[in-house]
Amino acid sequence: MADLKELFAKVDGQHEEMIALWKKLVNRDCGSDNKAGVDSVGQDIKEILEGLGFAVRFHEYEKAGNMLVADYGDFSKPFIVITGHMDTVFKDGQAAERPFTIRDGKAYGPGVLDMKGGITVALTALKLLKEIGYDRYAIRVILAGDEEVGHGNSNAAEDYMKEAKGAIMGFNMETGYLDNGIVVERKGCRRYRVEIDGVGAHAGNNPQDGRSAVEELAHKIIDIQALTDYEEGTTLNCGVIGGGTVANAVPEHAWCIVDVRFRTMKGLNRVDQAFKEIEKKQYVADTKTTIFPTITIAAMERTPESVALCERANELAVKAGLSPIHPKFVGGGSDSAYLVLAGVPTLCALGLRGEFNHTVREYAVVDSLFERTKLFITLLLGL
Ligand SMILES: [Zn+2]
């Protein structure tokens, strides 16, 4: 095995270059709805990877940032996948308004943590490994352009699974955690819209002719919330409701949006079945309920293979003199779900450590840029 100490010294010799690349990736608008912005990030990363000898192609989508796929090495050998996303949650103008800045060891800027830092780690690690002639595995890099919107306007979820299928390990460079936990399990999310039609009537003249959609919804919200099962890891939240028009009319229409978080498909299926019953039920005669899912982000289900991979990764980290890592479970989703669905043992959250994703308070610990690059090099050489 290559001398890790030498490689670590090389990482330390790259600080300026790494910060410059990180800054370049942050200082541009590339929100999920800015396809041109995301695609231009893809072009820059393509150039970098081609410079390292990768063959780069894109899955092109009409209404979403394209997915970059880059291959390196001999694919008759086992291959690994390295994944992430190029889009952010931020609107245009943010890059100019609050560009990449470092204050007191923390870096700020749109997407600095989620996940331009992780991309910088991966690109730097690949560059340094290429310099020592890395050929342990073939490598496939997959970077999505619309992760933050759950691939709602593209086939990226399916394309992810197709590209990852057959890989022996997966590494997602998503946002890391301050406690050094490496994610092996994430909840999935599905949203449903509940629509209720009743019968409108004047609240004073003929209320008895009305069928209140709001009243029906009120009953059903209680039923929906009661489906939460903490032990199973399935929680439901009727987060937004609406209905009626004026106080003196029996409301003809009401609706709500339900956010469901689930650990397993079994939990999601239970909710789905229950919703069919709730749909049929009538508390207020003559009302009609329709419930339908809008978006779904798959769960990253915990597998023994991912946990074992994390344990081996920790042994390697400790042996290399790096901070210990441990398997972690989190509520928020990521594309790692698709790697696991494709049957790939996966470690997620290998990116920088920091906090407050998706807000203007988002920051990344600058030192973790270098620590995480050392960790990733260690894992690619040892696992
Ligand atoms: Zn992310």
Side-chain angles (χ1 to χ4, degrees):
M1 208 217 289
D3 188 348
L4 276 178
K5 266 206 188 101
E6 238 166 75
L7 279 161
F8 288 2
K10 278 192 186 169
V11 172
D12 289 329
Q14 294 272 318
H15 283 197
E16 266 173 51
E17 264 180 274
M18 289 177 76
I19 301 262
L21 172 59
W22 191 15
K23 180 176 176 179
K24 182 178 170 183
L25 291 170
V26 170
N27 280 349
R28 61 206 309 172
D29 289 319
C30 51
S32 310
D33 54 3
N34 180 351
K35 175 174 166 59
V38 178
D39 288 347
S40 89
V41 176
Q43 286 303 319
D44 282 358
I45 295 175
K46 173 181 188 259
E47 256 172 54
I48 294 171
L49 286 169
E50 281 179 345
L52 298 178
F54 279 79
V56 183
R57 59 201 157 85
F58 288 94
H59 288 275
E60 294 188 12
Y61 311 117
E62 202 184 317
K63 290 188 191 128
N66 296 333
M67 172 185 273
L68 175 147
V69 181
D71 286 345
Y72 181 83
D74 174 4
F75 273 74
S76 66
K77 280 191 191 173
F79 74 100
I80 59 169
V81 283
I82 298 170
T83 61
H85 63 86
M86 301 177 284
D87 59 320
T88 73
V89 297
F90 297 105
K91 297 281 164 238
D92 287 354
Q94 292 269 305
E97 223 170 88
R98 41 184 202 93
F100 182 89
T101 327
I102 294 179
R103 272 196 314 272
D104 305 325
K106 293 175 180 173
Y108 300 84
V112 72
L113 177 64
D114 183 14
M115 56 162 281
K116 299 300 165 41
I119 292 178
T120 308
V121 166
L123 293 175
T124 307
L126 290 173
K127 181 177 117 179
L128 295 177
L129 287 172
K130 148 106 213 255
E131 282 175 13
I132 59 157
Y134 176 92
D135 66 351
R136 190 175 171 85
Y137 301 110
I139 301 173
R140 174 164 292 164
V141 176
I142 309 173
L143 297 175
D146 61 342
E147 191 266 355
E148 296 291 5
V149 290
H151 314 299
N153 293 318
S154 76
N155 298 321
E158 291 81 27
D159 290 335
Y160 236 118
M161 287 190 274
K162 266 187 238 156
E163 296 288 358
K165 202 163 180 66
I168 60 160
M169 289 179 272
F171 303 96
N172 193 354
M173 310 310 292
E174 264 288 0
T175 309
Y177 290 86
L178 291 177
D179 69 358
N180 238 10
I182 298 295
V183 173
V184 295
E185 180 180 7
R186 289 178 180 272
K187 279 193 175 177
C189 168
R190 178 173 282 177
R191 289 217 182 113
Y192 291 86
R193 193 170 170 97
V194 180
E195 296 275 355
I196 298 180
D197 290 311
V199 179
H202 191 285
N205 293 333
N206 60 335
Q208 70 282 4
D209 295 337
R211 301 288 182 265
S212 171
V214 166
E215 186 183 341
E216 179 73 7
L217 178 63
H219 285 288
K220 290 192 166 167
I221 285 174
I222 310 259
D223 289 350
I224 290 168
Q225 293 283 158
L227 294 171
T228 286
D229 181 339
Y230 282 104
E231 214 157 285
E232 184 187 64
T234 314
T235 57
L236 291 91
N237 180 49
C238 294
V240 196
I241 66 168
T245 49
V246 289
N248 57 2
V250 175
E252 195 175 340
H253 191 73
W255 55 271
C256 80
I257 303 172
V258 187
D259 178 285
V260 180
R261 302 286 161 142
F262 55 96
R263 262 178 115 144
T264 59
M265 277 313 286
K266 194 172 149 252
L268 180 63
N269 291 338
R270 178 180 65 80
V271 168
D272 221 46
Q273 275 308 315
F275 275 14
K276 290 200 175 91
E277 295 305 312
I278 291 172
E279 204 175 33
K280 273 189 252 160
K281 215 169 182 177
Q282 267 181 346
Y283 289 94
V284 176
D286 306 326
T287 57
K288 186 177 179 317
T289 302
T290 324
I291 305 180
F292 54 94
T294 52
I295 60 163
T296 306
I297 297 166
M300 178 193 189
E301 292 198 29
R302 175 185 287 256
T303 65
E305 291 79 12
S306 296
V307 175
L309 190 62
C310 190
E311 278 157 13
R312 283 168 54 215
N314 179 49
E315 283 163 23
L316 289 169
V318 171
K319 214 169 123 198
L322 302 169
S323 312
I325 56 178
H326 60 272
K328 189 176 175 80
F329 161 66
V330 297
S334 87
D335 282 338
S336 295
Y338 302 110
L339 302 187
V340 174
L341 282 171
V344 182
T346 300
L347 301 181
C348 188
L350 287 167
L352 304 201
R353 293 185 293 111
E355 286 181 291
F356 309 133
N357 272 357
H358 301 188
T359 73
V360 294
R361 291 194 300 153
E362 173 189 25
Y363 79 87
V365 176
V366 174
D367 281 344
S368 72
L369 181 67
F370 318 118
E371 288 162 23
R372 283 295 165 102
T373 305
K374 291 175 185 173
L375 174 66
F376 194 42
I377 287 174
T378 306
L379 300 188
L380 290 183
L381 285 172
L383 284 173

